[in-house]
Amino acid sequence: MATTKSKKKAAPKKKKAASKELTAEEIRHADDREVGVGRAGDIPREKLMDWYRQMVLIRKFEQACSEQYQLGKIGGFLHLYIGQEAIAVGSIAARGDNDHVITAYRDHGHALAVGSETGPVMAELMGKVTGVSGGRGGSMHLCDVPRRFWGGYAVVGGHVPLGAGIALAEQYKGTDGAVLCYMGDGSTNIGYFHESLNLAKVWNLPVVWIVENNQYGMGTAVDRASATPEMVTKASGYDMEAHVVDGMSVCDVYWKTTDALARVRAGEGPQFLEMITYRFEGHSMGDPLRYRSKEEVVKWRDDDPLGVIEKRLIEQESCTQEELDAIDDQVDAEVEAAVKFADESPEPGLDTLYDNIFVPQ
Amino acid sequence: MAKRITMRQALSDALREEMLRDENVFIMGEEIGVWGGTYAVTRGFYDEFGEKRVRDTPISEMAIGGAATGAAMNGLRPVAEFMTINFAFVAFDAIINHAAKVHYMFNGNIKCPVVFRAPGGGGRQLGATHSHTPDVIFAHFPGLRVVSPATPYDAKGMLKSAIRSDDPVMFIEHATLYQERGEVPEEEYLVPLDKSDKKRDGSDVTIVTYAQGLPISMEAADKLSKEGIEVEIIDLRSLQPLDLTLAVESFKKTNKAVVVEEGHGTYGIGAEIVAQIQEKAFDYLDAPIKRVAQKQAPLPYARELEQSALINADRVVAAVKEVL
Ligand SMILES: Cc1ncc(C[n+]2csc(CCOP(=O)(O)OP(=O)(O)O)c2C)c(N)n1
Ligand SMILES: [Mg+2]
């Protein structure tokens, strides 16, 4: 199986700025991806290496998905996470033992970041009985309840109140658990979003809303769909603390999520994070990409989150190219094994059509 | 020991008993707390249980539907009230695409034991948007239990079962039935969520109905009885799943049937029942099965005009005589 090697391109060097918070616009134009990280050096090397591994895993997994789709082995809609890997990996790394994850249909990255096994995830995409949802969900409906991943949801915004409800249950039971509820920039324009943020604030629910602002909802640029292109400003209407995050820097994502969760646990109520990112591929397979220029994509590719962490590992953690290559090779083998597992798994029996409509009484 | 109480009281008792029994049961919705419930079903609950378990919400049906679903997925047993079923339309996606789908879509890994209570029905001069009996729409989809009781006894026993069920339940209450009185045992009991019930014995014609259709059919039955016509009445109680065992059994005896429902007739519950009866008992068919349902117009405000669109005992009597 031919998976492309991850991009090795590092962003140009620049002196690190003080840890002031950047606006979305500044992050978009920043060329030093360590800007805004603030606490560089506090993260142990092994952790960084593991995040790198997870991000490479997601990248290569998605590349494999694309191939399997083209081979006709994956059907339906397929939304790749390529370009956004730092968000799922950095934020899920920040979660505690009782914290939950819920997201929309672009959910492969979140599943892998919570630690779901690659084989069953790939099997789900191929509609196999060994899939994480038994082949009933597909790409948009992965889940891993034991790992507190409540799934991917395909109606834009539909899962946002579910996130509020999952948070309500934690608050009700008196645990310290919180919810990381991810959504796209497009979902900030649907009623669900506004009702849920309002309710979360009124009830002081333990939830961190994470908007993955990848600049587009399908083919519609953020500023063509949203009254304000800056998602963070939407939180102020609900009196919620909100921060802009460099979604291409796994470290920035990690720290800002860590801080947001700490504020939730300190009783400060729901938190809002706008993570600036870009999807390198189309919205879903077969996207003609008429709405953005090649130059724009090339520019964002300079900010590849894998390039950002590689640069950090090499320049600050004296990591060698051989070490990184070894990780890449190990991930290649894992993804290959996942595809093999999925390929060889059976489809669900036709006699199971009516299973799990209702819980047996 | 039994007492005679209203359906409102029966529902209130069921909720209170379940909240006392299980700490994870709580109620949420608009005006259910401090106000005491628009139809007073939850009067006194706020003082008794406090605001953790009696949760007034903003006017946010999408969030009510979705947050109740999420809380249920994560281990609680929410009873979410829509002020009226008409507003549940706003939450349709949360109910149908989320509550009713998660168990199946995630292969049984997620359970969703949520109850949506919703009062509905026409006949109270509330105009076209506030008078729907849209029960059949909710019953169209697999994955959601849809029930609608007609008596205080059933209301109490079924609400308790709904709360204990691991499935999402749409619990539809016809608002004009809140005042209906009936016998309810003092001791604990449950009524199953998926069983129809025979409410009157007869040998001439089978009436299949539920909710507000039941008192109307009972009234018609009394009138017909005076003319020597005895109808048998089957109360569906549950629309999803639909239990037609008793209806078909009765039909095989009477060979004639009338279906009475308050919702619109077009694509209605009657249409489904007629289809199933002819599939299951075609050889027993002596006459076309008649449907008595709401006329196909939005409900108007003017009293008599509204009444003319709704079902009533005279229309049921006429239908029974037609099939005889
Ligand atoms: C309610 C609803 N309307 C429309 C769609 C079709 N649709 C699927 S994804 C999408 C764009 C969403 O964009 P965004 O929230 O930014 O997420 P992204 O795809 O960028 O991750 C649209 C319009 C949908 N799934 N749900
Ligand atoms: Mg987007």
Side-chain angles (χ1 to χ4, degrees):
Chain A
M1 184 190 64
T3 48
T4 324
K5 283 271 175 193
S6 64
K7 226 166 176 276
K8 304 291 187 212
K9 186 161 182 190
K13 258 186 212 163
K14 208 182 190 182
K15 258 211 119 204
K16 197 185 297 160
S19 60
K20 84 164 180 57
E21 191 156 303
L22 299 181
T23 64
E25 201 51 32
E26 282 171 321
I27 284 187
R28 217 160 290 167
H29 296 120
D31 49 15
D32 184 342
R33 311 309 301 189
E34 290 304 323
V35 168
V37 169
R39 279 171 278 176
D42 291 359
I43 302 165
R45 188 179 193 270
E46 317 79 74
K47 225 178 190 179
L48 289 170
M49 293 291 277
D50 185 50
W51 295 349
Y52 171 80
R53 184 193 61 79
Q54 289 185 45
M55 288 166 64
V56 173
L57 175 63
I58 296 172
R59 176 72 51 99
K60 288 176 180 287
F61 184 91
E62 296 294 60
Q63 286 164 345
C65 288
S66 175
E67 285 164 22
Q68 296 304 313
Y69 183 89
Q70 272 142 26
L71 291 172
K73 298 214 174 141
I74 296 175
F77 287 140
L78 176 64
H79 309 86
L80 303 180
Y81 200 57
I82 293 178
Q84 303 180 211
E85 296 92 340
I87 296 177
V89 171
S91 55
I92 288 167
R95 89 182 166 142
D97 289 344
N98 295 320
D99 296 339
H100 302 263
V101 169
I102 187 165
T103 188
Y105 46 83
R106 200 178 294 288
D107 58 349
H108 309 176
H110 306 80
L112 297 181
V114 300
S116 299
E117 289 172 62
T118 44
V121 174
M122 185 59 84
E124 187 60 37
L125 307 191
M126 292 194 192
K128 299 301 181 71
V129 72
T130 52
V132 289
S133 301
R136 276 153 202 275
S139 160
M140 305 196 285
H141 304 302
L142 304 174
C143 80
D144 193 338
V145 177
R147 293 185 171 87
R148 302 179 313 289
F149 172 46
W150 292 94
Y153 292 83
V155 176
V156 169
H159 69 290
V160 179
L162 302 186
I166 292 165
L168 168 61
E170 292 300 318
Q171 181 192 60
Y172 190 99
K173 292 183 255 180
T175 73
D176 70 345
V179 175
L180 299 178
C181 181
Y182 301 79
M183 69 198 89
D185 44 274
S187 66
T188 68
N189 301 319
I190 198 165
Y192 269 131
F193 169 85
H194 296 277
E195 293 193 8
S196 303
L197 262 70
N198 184 64
L199 186 73
K201 183 66 189 187
V202 170
W203 285 354
N204 203 41
L205 298 179
V207 57
V208 181
W209 308 112
I210 297 179
V211 175
E212 302 192 37
N213 182 354
N214 61 7
Q215 318 305 323
Y216 293 90
M218 290 188 72
T220 307
V222 168
D223 61 5
R224 293 180 61 224
S226 178
T228 164
E230 303 199 357
M231 305 290 109
V232 269
T233 62
K234 297 192 178 188
S236 63
Y238 305 104
D239 195 19
M240 219 171 269
E241 186 164 341
H243 296 272
V244 181
V245 181
D246 179 354
M248 297 306 202
S249 160
V250 68
C251 298
D252 197 33
V253 170
Y254 172 77
W255 284 122
K256 297 244 173 73
T257 310
T258 301
D259 293 347
L261 282 168
R263 289 193 298 275
V264 166
R265 287 195 241 284
E268 291 177 34
Q271 304 289 317
F272 187 98
L273 300 174
E274 176 188 0
M275 306 206 172
I276 309 298
T277 184
Y278 198 77
R279 85 175 137 64
F280 292 168
E281 304 294 327
H283 165 73
S284 57
M285 303 305 286
D287 176 348
L289 287 171
R290 273 193 213 102
Y291 48 86
R292 65 187 196 187
S293 67
K294 290 218 170 60
E295 296 71 48
E296 180 185 299
V297 180
V298 168
K299 191 204 151 291
W300 276 96
R301 286 230 181 229
D302 279 346
D303 301 335
D304 188 327
L306 277 174
V308 174
I309 186 158
E310 272 179 25
K311 173 172 180 274
R312 160 117 187 215
L313 284 169
I314 290 172
E315 291 180 6
Q316 295 182 33
E317 308 290 339
S318 56
C319 191
T320 63
Q321 193 59 53
E322 290 68 47
E323 277 180 282
L324 299 183
D325 288 349
I327 292 176
D328 288 14
D329 291 345
Q330 180 242 311
V331 166
D332 278 337
E334 182 175 349
V335 171
E336 205 166 332
V339 172
K340 186 165 186 291
F341 171 81
D343 238 342
E344 290 172 358
S345 293
E347 295 193 9
L350 299 185
D351 59 339
T352 66
L353 181 67
Y354 297 109
D355 289 359
N356 294 317
I357 294 176
F358 291 130
V359 179
Q361 297 277 308
Chain B
M1 269 294 286
K3 53 185 177 172
R4 240 183 118 66
I5 58 171
T6 60
M7 182 177 314
R8 171 183 289 110
Q9 189 61 49
L11 290 165
S12 182
D13 290 352
L15 273 176
R16 178 178 284 104
E17 285 174 23
E18 291 306 295
M19 286 179 74
L20 290 170
R21 184 186 62 82
D22 181 353
E23 187 70 30
N24 284 333
V25 177
F26 72 98
I27 60 177
M28 59 185 274
E30 294 159 20
E31 308 297 348
I32 61 156
V34 176
W35 182 291
T38 336
Y39 290 98
V41 171
T42 55
R43 184 172 292 163
F45 278 51
Y46 187 81
D47 291 335
E48 183 175 349
F49 294 102
E51 65 179 5
K52 178 184 168 192
R53 301 184 66 197
V54 180
R55 308 182 74 97
D56 280 320
T57 66
I59 309 159
S60 304
E61 276 74 12
M62 296 172 87
I64 294 169
T69 299
M73 289 160 57
N74 194 15
L76 301 185
R77 291 195 174 261
V79 181
E81 178 174 326
F82 292 110
M83 188 178 275
T84 81
I85 199 164
N86 308 286
F87 314 139
F89 291 175
V90 178
F92 202 64
D93 177 70
I95 298 167
I96 300 301
N97 261 335
H98 294 86
K101 295 290 183 287
V102 288
H103 187 62
Y104 190 84
M105 193 161 84
F106 296 115
N107 202 30
N109 289 309
I110 296 177
K111 286 189 182 128
C112 187
V114 64
V115 178
F116 299 114
R117 282 187 49 229
R124 289 168 297 139
Q125 286 196 277
L126 298 179
T129 68
H130 277 48
S131 305
H132 289 288
T133 309
D135 316 355
V136 67
I137 301 177
F138 294 95
H140 185 62
F141 302 94
L144 180 69
R145 290 184 182 276
V146 181
V147 301
S148 190
T151 67
Y153 177 90
D154 287 346
K156 183 175 181 194
M158 287 169 73
L159 183 53
K160 287 170 74 93
S161 294
I163 292 169
R164 296 182 196 193
S165 166
D166 282 337
D167 300 315
V169 182
M170 190 81 193
F171 197 93
I172 302 173
E173 301 162 14
H174 197 290
T176 55
L177 294 177
Y178 281 135
Q179 302 287 21
E180 290 280 312
R181 283 179 186 275
E183 296 269 304
V184 170
E186 304 265 17
E187 57 277 5
E188 161 116 345
Y189 70 96
L190 296 171
V191 172
L193 291 178
D194 52 4
K195 293 274 179 295
S196 58
D197 186 40
K198 194 196 287 180
K199 288 292 197 302
R200 185 180 170 118
D201 286 310
S203 49
D204 298 326
V205 175
T206 301
I207 293 182
V208 184
T209 188
Y210 75 101
Q212 170 71 349
L214 182 66
I216 287 172
S217 300
M218 288 295 211
E219 189 190 331
D222 287 340
K223 289 185 178 178
L224 288 161
S225 183
K226 289 190 185 113
E227 301 179 33
I229 302 164
E230 294 302 333
V231 298
E232 184 147 289
I233 300 183
I234 307 299
D235 177 4
L236 294 169
R237 299 199 290 202
S238 170
L239 303 177
Q240 179 69 265
L242 182 62
D243 168 30
L244 287 183
T245 327
L246 296 177
V248 170
E249 206 171 277
S250 172
F251 181 75
K252 285 183 176 171
K253 181 174 72 181
T254 62
N255 311 108
K256 296 163 214 94
V258 170
V259 186
V260 181
E261 65 181 305
E262 197 195 77
H264 295 295
T266 310
Y267 304 108
I269 287 158
E272 176 64 26
I273 289 169
V274 172
Q276 288 205 30
I277 289 181
Q278 65 85 17
E279 280 163 8
K280 289 174 176 148
F282 184 73
D283 290 344
Y284 296 83
L285 201 61
D286 274 1
I289 300 172
K290 285 276 156 194
R291 290 176 286 169
V292 179
Q294 191 177 138
K295 294 177 185 166
Q296 202 67 13
L299 278 184
Y301 164 75
R303 211 162 91 88
E304 291 308 320
L305 193 60
E306 182 189 23
Q307 288 300 326
S308 77
L310 291 167
I311 56 171
N312 58 44
D314 290 341
R315 286 181 63 196
V316 177
V317 167
V320 168
K321 288 184 175 170
E322 268 187 74
V323 303
L324 260 180

